[in-house]
Amino acid sequence: MIKKVNIGIVLIDDSFIDRMIVRKNMELFYPEISFVAYSSGKEALTAIEANEVLPEKSHCLVLLDIYMPEMNGFAFADNFSQLDPEIVKRFTVFMLSSSIDAGDMENVKKREVIVKFISKPLNEGVLKSVLEDTIQLLSSREA
């Protein structure tokens, strides 16, 4: 059981199918948690900077796909890390990919804003794990 906290989930993925799978999993397993999806990193970054991403939530976890056109996940992470620190600390970023590439893993490790690498598909178990990781991270910050 996930502890009640004031968090939301943000998915940034260009794949319509992946967005629908996560949306359905959220509706089935975590209907009480706010969820929003973006099909591009650029669109999500603009919304985050303007404080339009679940502003009623004290914290959001971001599920960020690596491979997207226009702005890939690494470019998003680099731009995101340059935002106002007050904005950045409101989000916990998890990087997603359907492939496990050693170069990608190294790139994830180089970016402090990315907490963890997650393999697709995002099922109920994976969602539970990232929620628990986020809650644990937030608890350790408050301690």
Side-chain angles (χ1 to χ4, degrees), residues 2-8 32-33 57-58 131 135 138:
I2 300 293
K3 177 179 146 185
K4 271 205 167 270
V5 289
N6 188 28
I7 63 174
E32 73 283 1
I33 297 176
K57 298 298 176 188
S58 59
L131 282 164
I135 291 166
L138 292 173

Side-chain angles (χ1 to χ4, degrees), residues 5-8 53-61 86-87 89-91 138 141-142:
V5 289
N6 188 28
I7 63 174
V53 178
L54 303 174
E56 73 282 4
K57 298 298 176 188
S58 59
H59 196 81
C60 293
L61 72 90
E86 289 300 310
I87 293 172
K89 75 178 187 180
R90 204 179 140 245
F91 296 87
L138 292 173
R141 285 183 189 166
E142 292 171 1

Side-chain angles (χ1 to χ4, degrees), residues 128-140:
K128 180 179 180 188
S129 175
V130 295
L131 282 164
E132 288 173 345
D133 287 351
T134 301
I135 291 166
Q136 184 177 13
L137 183 67
L138 292 173
S139 295
S140 69

Side-chain angles (χ1 to χ4, degrees), residues 4 13 20 31 46 49 56 60 66 72 112 123 138 140:
K4 271 205 167 270
D13 196 324
M20 291 311 299
T46 300
E49 193 168 17
E56 73 282 4
C60 293
I66 291 178
N72 70 23
E112 289 182 21
N123 57 33
L138 292 173
S140 69

Side-chain angles (χ1 to χ4, degrees), residues 18-81:
D18 286 340
R19 289 193 313 272
M20 291 311 299
I21 289 170
V22 175
R23 183 176 305 282
K24 288 295 179 193
N25 276 319
M26 290 300 299
E27 290 170 0
L28 281 171
F29 302 111
Y30 302 104
E32 73 283 1
I33 297 176
S34 297
F35 172 78
V36 64
Y38 293 91
S39 60
S40 89
K42 199 170 194 177
E43 176 190 20
L45 193 63
T46 300
I48 287 170
E49 193 168 17
N51 195 34
E52 296 170 352
V53 178
L54 303 174
E56 73 282 4
K57 298 298 176 188
S58 59
H59 196 81
C60 293
L61 72 90
V62 176
L63 302 170
L64 174 64
D65 188 32
I66 291 178
Y67 300 108
M68 296 181 287
E70 190 178 15
M71 177 184 280
N72 70 23
F74 295 118
F76 172 91
D78 293 342
N79 283 278
F80 174 76
S81 68

